[in-house]
Amino acid sequence: MMAMSPAFAHESVELSAVEVRARAENLEGIAASGSEGVVSSQRLAAVPILRPGEALEMVPGLIVTQHAGDGKANQYFLRGFNLDHGTDFATYVGGVPVNMPTHAHGQGYTDLNFLIPELVERISFRKGPYFAEEGDFSSAGAAHIDYVRKIDGTLGQVTLGQNGYARSLLAGSPEVAGGHLLYGLELFHNDGPWQVEEHYRKINGVLRYSQGMPNDGFSLTGMAYRGRWTSTDQIAQRAIFSGAVDRFGSLDPTTGGETHRYSLSGEWAKRWEKAQSKANVWWLQSGLDLWSNFQYCLNAGCPPGDQFKQAERRQAGGFAVSHAMFDRWGGFEVENSIGLQGRIDDLNPVGLYTTSARQTLSTVREDKVTQRSLGLWAQNEMHWTEWFRSVQGLRADTYDFTVNSNLAANSGKASDQMVTPKLSLIFGPWHRTELYLNYGHGFHSNDARGTTIRVDPADGVTPVQAVKPLVRTKGYELGLRSEIVPGWQSTVALWQLDSASELLFVGDAGTTEASRPSRRYGVEWTNLYVLSDWLALDADLAWSHARFRDHDPVAGDFIPGAVATTANIGLTLDHLGPWFGAVRLRYFGPRPLIEDNSVRSGASALTNLRLGYKFSRRTQLALDIYNLFDRKVNDIEYWYDSQLVSEGAAVDDRHVHPTEPRSLRLSFSHRF
């Protein structure tokens, strides 16, 4: 997506390429687990990114794909989870949550198309349910993305590429009334390689006024994003093999979507002599109209076909306050923290409709939903010796839901509460090496509509079992962080995560499914090796094992979509005269597509390349080449039944969305 490699979050006015010596932060003595870390602006700027959401691929082990139009939220994979569009991975931008509960398309829907990667200062990530501050959707992990408070000068950037790709960015941060007024405006268009042009266009902006620093100051931030696109969804593989449609073709040229997101937020922090206080408050208004057609003619015949629309209009608001106190108990250093978080979402309406060529034919279900949550957490960190500290925490959450449905039987109220303990033991450092032992409980909320449902909305008669609002998870981890060799930072984490039930609201059908209890375990190995001031190598390798815990010899115990192996390997070069560059390889391993493992997806290995030239301290040109070797692989694969126009019955088949072919983008950047 971007071709800009300088770290212009920092003080130098030079449009330098990646400063490899500043690409990692030393978390020795700070981190509470081996799987948490920080992605700096320099490291993010070094990576050629096809889509904004792929910024999260800098989180070790996380894979970001797309199964439909680029205006839709990405699909995420981490630690043996097919996270769909965000369930079990919590994401925040500027203190505002991105995950959407009770979303029209999927629980925890995480649309990052409003992200401007060039303005990101850092991505702080954590994995596992071991942190008292993290609540809903964070069992697999969480990422906190923050924008810079100031940049030097005014940045102008223009990117042009194949298939109608055009992007422009204007950003600056002039001094105003003792602070800085950061602004960024992005204009974007892309048709993609699809036979039915995507015609994705968006306008996106951010405006932030700030004074002071993140731990002692304040900021006020407004963000606005609007996008529209035509979507080429996944296609039945038999249609491609028969020649009925091209690999980049479409079986319904009218699918696509329109979306918007507007938010306002304020953050305040005060550093006292022996305390740290923080607070933030936020509000957002968002909407989505999404037209999809995954089964073509199976349910309604053709015409009119099986196209459906998922739509919602949402207003949400929330807050978070925390206070940390630094003291000594006897001869021990201690930090005690307490925090309160709240959120309310009002959806009016959220609905599912049958459509044809984007024209509504009937309403499957339509609801007005109000969802409230409140979380209280407390944490104690004790430094028992120079080589041993502990972090113990407790979190309590309460949720309530009110659903007013077009079917009276599915209206109602529900509530749930959950207490989740956390514990981390940290040993070291010895020879710049730390050992971590982690244990914790977590949870994710279920779709509010699933907590009050009584009958299938498709016919209004068939009984449906309601589900619990909150689903408990439990995790363990053994981690090691070391820099024994100067310049080589390495972490290893062995982990396990149990889920009581993988509860899921099926937005395509308007019903709920309570799937079986599961267990996942695995290992992650993350490395960054700065060999010199002009060369750095990073490698993230992950393996996981995912199974349902209640053995079923008939159905099978494999979890569909659970990826076992991933890798992300990069080489970054700088200070080679005016030249700089980077190359990255991403491996996305095979996955079972059904429970008995009789059908599996293929694997993919994609390589992206960046070559850049600095004309001066302020001006540079960069060429990004995506899918360098033009691999004909798939972004995503599913196995389910569908019916083509030429068929008289349903057929079980693989449905695929292809990876984009090799493409080039050229970016010109200048700082005024």
Side-chain angles (χ1 to χ4, degrees):
M1 166 283 52
M2 66 173 182
M4 187 72 171
S5 66
F8 53 87
H10 295 267
E11 295 298 324
S12 173
V13 297
E14 179 182 356
L15 273 178
S16 64
V18 179
E19 183 69 40
V20 296
R21 290 168 295 184
R23 290 177 61 230
E25 296 198 19
N26 185 9
L27 296 182
E28 179 185 297
I30 300 173
S33 80
S35 59
E36 67 175 296
V38 175
V39 179
S40 66
S41 58
Q42 294 102 319
R43 189 176 182 193
L44 181 62
V47 181
I49 294 178
L50 184 67
R51 308 177 180 101
E54 290 183 8
L56 285 182
E57 285 200 343
M58 299 310 291
V59 175
L62 201 155
I63 296 293
V64 180
T65 67
Q66 181 58 270
H67 75 91
D70 281 338
K72 184 179 177 180
N74 295 104
Q75 189 154 356
Y76 308 93
F77 295 81
L78 178 69
R79 289 196 162 184
F81 278 92
N82 175 356
L83 295 165
D84 193 35
H85 297 291
T87 303
D88 288 306
F89 191 84
T91 306
Y92 302 81
V93 175
V96 182
V98 185
N99 301 74
M100 297 293 180
T102 311
H103 189 269
H105 185 68
Q107 179 72 341
Y109 188 81
T110 302
D111 183 359
L112 280 171
N113 282 297
F114 69 93
L115 186 71
I116 302 177
E118 292 87 346
L119 298 185
V120 172
E121 181 174 41
R122 61 170 50 192
I123 302 174
S124 301
F125 63 87
R126 296 166 166 171
K127 285 183 273 186
Y130 320 121
F131 308 94
E133 188 178 359
E134 307 293 350
D136 200 3
F137 304 121
S138 64
S139 290
H144 296 261
I145 304 172
D146 198 19
Y147 282 152
V148 299
R149 295 193 170 208
K150 66 174 182 177
I151 64 175
D152 294 299
T154 300
L155 172 69
Q157 178 174 297
V158 176
T159 304
L160 299 175
Q162 296 170 283
N163 302 314
Y165 185 94
R167 177 179 183 257
S168 61
L169 174 66
L170 181 67
S173 58
E175 291 189 20
V176 176
H180 288 87
L181 185 64
L182 173 73
Y183 64 87
L185 178 63
E186 176 191 27
L187 302 177
F188 177 95
H189 177 272
N190 189 29
D191 289 329
W194 320 109
Q195 289 188 347
V196 177
E197 293 183 350
E198 191 171 64
H199 195 35
Y200 177 31
R201 57 272 196 207
K202 70 177 176 181
I203 182 169
N204 187 26
V206 59
L207 190 65
R208 163 181 278 189
Y209 179 75
S210 63
Q211 289 187 5
M213 303 297 291
N215 65 348
D216 197 3
F218 74 90
S219 66
L220 300 171
T221 305
M223 291 182 275
Y225 159 69
R226 179 175 288 272
R228 304 177 66 185
W229 68 96
T230 299
S231 177
T232 296
D233 293 338
Q234 64 262 18
I235 300 174
Q237 190 165 268
R238 65 187 184 280
I240 300 173
F241 286 167
S242 69
V245 66
D246 184 82
R247 187 163 176 263
F248 297 100
S250 175
L251 290 171
D252 186 340
T254 65
T255 56
E258 303 176 1
T259 189
H260 67 268
R261 175 190 173 102
Y262 311 117
S263 68
L264 293 171
S265 61
E267 295 181 286
W268 171 87
K270 178 66 175 178
R271 180 75 178 189
W272 313 93
E273 182 180 357
K274 292 185 178 182
Q276 172 76 67
S277 301
K278 292 184 178 181
N280 84 296
V281 60
W282 57 271
W283 165 90
L284 70 82
Q285 195 274 332
S286 66
L288 173 70
D289 293 319
L290 182 66
W291 291 270
S292 306
N293 189 347
F294 301 140
Q295 295 180 301
Y296 321 123
C297 306
L298 178 62
N299 300 304
C302 286
D306 288 352
Q307 189 185 93
F308 58 91
K309 173 185 175 182
Q310 295 162 308
E312 69 163 67
R313 296 296 181 269
R314 177 189 305 261
Q315 291 208 50
F319 70 91
V321 294
S322 65
H323 185 69
M325 297 160 286
F326 313 105
D327 204 349
R328 295 189 72 90
W329 288 357
F332 306 116
E333 293 183 7
V334 62
E335 177 182 339
N336 291 308
S337 304
I338 189 168
L340 184 67
Q341 301 163 348
R343 174 170 180 167
I344 181 170
D345 288 75
D346 183 67
L347 293 101
N348 187 10
V350 54
L352 175 66
Y353 313 88
T354 61
T355 60
S356 178
R358 298 199 183 190
Q359 299 300 309
T360 300
L361 303 179
S362 63
T363 298
V364 178
R365 74 173 297 171
E366 187 174 81
D367 306 86
K368 297 179 181 179
V369 178
T370 301
Q371 176 172 326
R372 305 175 186 87
S373 65
L374 193 66
L376 175 66
W377 60 271
Q379 180 174 283
N380 166 264
E381 180 173 348
M382 290 283 293
H383 290 250
W384 300 93
T385 69
E386 292 183 354
W387 53 266
F388 174 59
R389 56 192 169 97
S390 64
V391 181
Q392 38 275 327
L394 191 67
R395 183 180 179 93
D397 289 270
T398 181
Y399 280 67
D400 73 78
F401 310 91
T402 301
V403 178
N404 293 310
S405 179
N406 62 325
L407 284 175
N410 289 335
S411 298
K413 296 184 178 182
S415 63
D416 203 357
Q417 299 80 37
M418 187 165 289
V419 175
T420 49
K422 326 277 183 175
L423 177 64
S424 298
L425 305 177
I426 304 99
F427 302 88
W430 301 291
H431 304 291
R432 307 205 67 178
T433 300
E434 281 189 328
L435 179 69
Y436 309 88
L437 298 175
N438 304 100
Y439 168 81
H441 289 235
F443 72 97
H444 71 246
S445 63
N446 202 29
D447 192 295
R449 293 167 291 179
T451 68
T452 63
I453 194 169
R454 296 294 180 270
V455 297
D456 187 337
D459 58 22
V461 176
T462 304
V464 176
Q465 181 67 43
V467 297
K468 290 184 62 177
L470 302 182
V471 182
R472 182 177 293 273
T473 59
K474 181 172 63 175
Y476 312 83
E477 186 168 310
L478 170 64
L480 179 73
R481 184 186 308 272
S482 180
E483 193 176 351
I484 296 179
V485 177
W488 178 23
Q489 295 186 14
S490 183
T491 63
V492 178
L494 293 90
W495 58 271
Q496 178 175 301
L497 185 67
D498 294 344
S499 179
S501 174
E502 301 204 359
L503 301 180
L504 177 68
F505 181 88
V506 184
D508 301 349
T511 61
T512 58
E513 291 180 358
S515 65
R516 299 145 60 188
S518 64
R519 169 167 292 168
R520 294 171 169 87
Y521 58 83
V523 59
E524 296 169 337
W525 185 27
T526 303
N527 301 272
L528 173 62
Y529 193 8
V530 180
L531 291 91
S532 68
D533 64 350
W534 61 270
L535 178 63
L537 172 68
D538 61 274
D540 303 328
L541 310 175
W543 173 85
S544 61
H545 179 276
R547 298 289 189 273
F548 290 114
R549 283 186 288 157
D550 58 338
H551 176 61
D552 187 332
V554 177
D557 298 335
F558 287 79
I559 302 176
V563 61
T565 53
T566 66
N568 202 326
I569 302 172
L571 188 69
T572 305
L573 301 95
D574 193 16
H575 303 302
L576 299 175
W579 295 95
F580 62 91
V583 61
R584 297 201 68 81
L585 169 68
R586 189 203 75 175
Y587 175 76
F588 183 24
R591 292 86 62 197
L593 298 184
I594 56 178
E595 286 84 347
D596 64 7
N597 199 34
S598 60
V599 182
R600 294 179 60 83
S601 75
S604 65
L606 301 176
T607 304
N608 296 334
L609 175 69
R610 165 169 297 164
L611 295 173
Y613 186 87
K614 293 174 284 186
F615 294 98
S616 70
R617 297 175 61 191
R618 296 178 176 270
T619 306
Q620 73 175 34
L621 190 69
L623 174 67
D624 287 343
I625 306 177
Y626 301 94
N627 193 1
L628 177 66
F629 300 109
D630 200 24
R631 298 291 303 276
K632 292 178 173 58
V633 293
N634 296 317
D635 257 352
I636 196 70
E637 298 182 20
Y638 303 99
W639 180 266
Y640 58 84
D641 59 345
S642 61
Q643 183 177 328
L644 304 177
V645 174
S646 60
E647 297 172 335
V651 177
D652 290 329
D653 194 12
R654 192 183 304 262
H655 294 72
V656 303
H657 189 262
T659 295
E660 296 192 21
R662 181 171 51 229
S663 61
L664 284 70
R665 296 177 188 172
L666 188 66
S667 291
F668 176 79
S669 307
H670 180 72
R671 191 180 299 273
F672 300 92

